[in-house]
Amino acid sequence: MTDALGSIDKPDAEDGTAEKKTRKGGKRGKKGPLGRLALFYRQIVAELRKVVWPTRNQLTTYTTVVIVFVVIMIGLVTVIDYGFQEAIKFVFG
């Protein structure tokens, strides 16, 4: 009798009787510390080339938006702080 995976008498996978071959780092294991460091920096440069950098116009727009937002938040916190200060003076005299 068979099921969806195969015969009951013949399992699809071995029970771990075959010994696994252990890897010792592949190509990276053969390089010294300086070789690994050079590989690391090459990978950094490769990733930085994939980044989509903003144009000067976009950068100016984003910077302006951030500065305006921060100024508005500073004003809001200042007004709230002044209100609390006056309320505390009123309550505690």
Side-chain angles (χ1 to χ4, degrees):
M1 181 178 284
T2 61
D3 57 359
L5 296 176
S7 174
I8 293 175
D9 297 331
K10 296 180 183 178
D12 290 336
E14 294 292 324
D15 293 339
T17 55
E19 293 183 23
K20 292 184 179 180
K21 210 176 190 185
T22 58
R23 288 183 58 184
K24 294 199 175 195
K27 292 181 182 177
R28 281 184 252 155
K30 296 178 184 174
K31 296 180 182 177
L34 292 178
R36 289 194 305 262
L37 188 62
L39 174 66
F40 177 69
Y41 283 117
R42 279 196 306 271
Q43 289 174 346
I44 288 174
V45 170
E47 287 297 321
L48 285 175
R49 287 187 179 143
K50 296 178 187 177
V51 174
V52 179
W53 297 99
T55 62
R56 184 173 296 272
N57 189 20
Q58 289 174 331
L59 190 62
T60 304
T61 303
Y62 297 157
T63 304
T64 304
V65 167
V66 168
I67 289 173
V68 168
F69 177 77
V70 168
V71 167
I72 290 172
M73 292 308 294
I74 287 172
L76 182 65
V77 169
T78 302
V79 168
I80 292 172
D81 185 47
Y82 181 74
F84 281 136
Q85 178 184 354
E86 291 301 316
I88 294 297
K89 281 183 183 177
F90 180 72
V91 170
F92 294 109

